[in-house]
Amino acid sequence: MPKILWDERGNPYNEEYGDCYFDNTNGLEESRYVFLEGNNLPQAWANKDDFCIGECGFGTGLNLLAIWDLFLTCKATPKRLHYYTFEGFPLLIDELQTAHKLWPSLENLAHRVHLAYPQNPQNGIYELDFSPLHVKLVIGMAPKAIDAFDKPIDAWFLDGFAPSKNPQMWSDELFESIAKHSKKDSTFASFSVASKVRKGLKKAGFDVRKKPGFGRKREMLCGSYLG
């Protein structure tokens, strides 16, 4: 399990990787800007029967809460929303609860996640049913964890720690696995503009574009799979 430190605002920091989980001034708005807007949501899922999101790095579950909140407040939604995510070093339930105190507007959704989240997360697959939202949480390391995703992904949230902090995750095998589980025009978004990420996604068949980043981050990446 990761060793978590907490700053004076209650933001979590992973001591092993020497990196924070999200923007320390407004993590929720960062998630909405980078991953939701970066994947053109909610427009991308309008009036579809099924829509599947794939996430690399569950972390505190902030992106899940952000997309669930959007799903509940958006008019044109898919009939079923699938959220597939993996995490190599899962937080414990009490750490998840502490992190979620930062976003009182999402308290009700966070509480439902707490009830379904594994009390002692071990390597394996956990199904969290919030019908019509279905979550598949895979505890394990990339890229093998992605092979547990049994539906093609419409939108990717590439949210692992920065490549400079976590180089073993951002491998050619990861990008190849992402491509294998994508379909033509599947989109992605990532806070990282590192050369390793850009080149890896391009090599795997993605169109890669830069756009202005959130807060102090000058740039971010987004794009789509060319097939």
Side-chain angles (χ1 to χ4, degrees):
M1 298 297 172
K3 184 175 181 181
I4 306 300
L5 303 177
W6 305 88
D7 69 13
E8 65 280 359
R9 295 180 179 176
N11 292 294
Y13 179 88
N14 188 299
E15 189 174 49
E16 179 180 356
Y17 286 106
D19 205 356
C20 55
Y21 282 86
F22 41 75
D23 182 88
N24 287 345
T25 58
N26 201 327
L28 178 56
E29 288 308 310
E30 178 189 43
S31 179
R32 286 168 171 162
Y33 177 82
V34 174
F35 298 109
L36 277 57
E37 292 184 31
N39 280 289
N40 193 34
L41 294 169
Q43 292 86 349
W45 69 24
N47 302 314
K48 292 189 175 182
D49 288 338
D50 284 83
F51 194 85
C52 191
I53 293 169
E55 179 183 49
C56 299
F58 180 74
T60 64
L62 172 56
N63 293 332
L64 171 61
L65 295 178
I67 198 70
W68 194 0
D69 181 60
L70 178 65
F71 182 76
L72 293 176
T73 55
C74 177
K75 291 183 179 179
T77 61
K79 293 179 180 177
R80 292 170 297 275
L81 177 62
H82 304 272
Y83 194 92
Y84 292 175
T85 179
F86 74 83
E87 177 59 56
F89 302 95
L91 273 65
L92 297 175
I93 183 63
D94 62 323
E95 294 169 330
L96 216 63
Q97 291 169 333
T98 299
H100 291 169
K101 290 178 181 177
L102 291 165
W103 310 296
S105 64
L106 303 178
E107 180 180 4
N108 291 337
L109 300 183
H111 180 64
R112 293 181 66 183
V113 172
H114 302 160
L115 293 176
Y117 189 79
Q119 295 297 309
N120 183 28
Q122 304 292 324
N123 283 359
I125 300 173
Y126 299 87
E127 307 277 352
L128 286 60
D129 188 15
F130 308 113
S131 187
L133 166 63
H134 172 249
V135 179
K136 176 177 284 189
L137 169 61
V138 183
I139 305 299
M141 299 296 288
K144 289 184 178 180
I146 297 180
D147 289 335
F149 296 2
D150 56 8
K151 288 181 178 292
I153 302 300
D154 294 290
W156 288 98
F157 295 178
L158 305 185
D159 195 23
F161 289 120
S164 60
K165 308 286 187 179
N166 186 18
Q168 63 269 32
M169 173 181 155
W170 302 95
S171 64
D172 287 343
E173 290 79 12
L174 172 76
F175 299 121
E176 290 168 4
S177 188
I178 289 171
K180 184 175 72 174
H181 289 82
S182 297
K183 53 189 178 183
K184 191 176 185 301
D185 296 326
S186 294
T187 62
F188 80 89
S190 175
F191 66 88
S192 176
V193 293
S195 174
K196 188 173 186 179
V197 179
R198 298 197 317 271
K199 291 179 179 178
L201 286 166
K202 286 181 179 180
K203 183 179 178 181
F206 284 84
D207 168 54
V208 179
R209 304 184 303 274
K210 290 182 180 179
K211 63 174 286 189
F214 180 85
R216 292 176 294 176
K217 295 179 180 177
R218 190 175 64 179
E219 297 173 313
M220 59 167 279
L221 293 182
C222 59
S224 59
Y225 186 54
L226 300 175

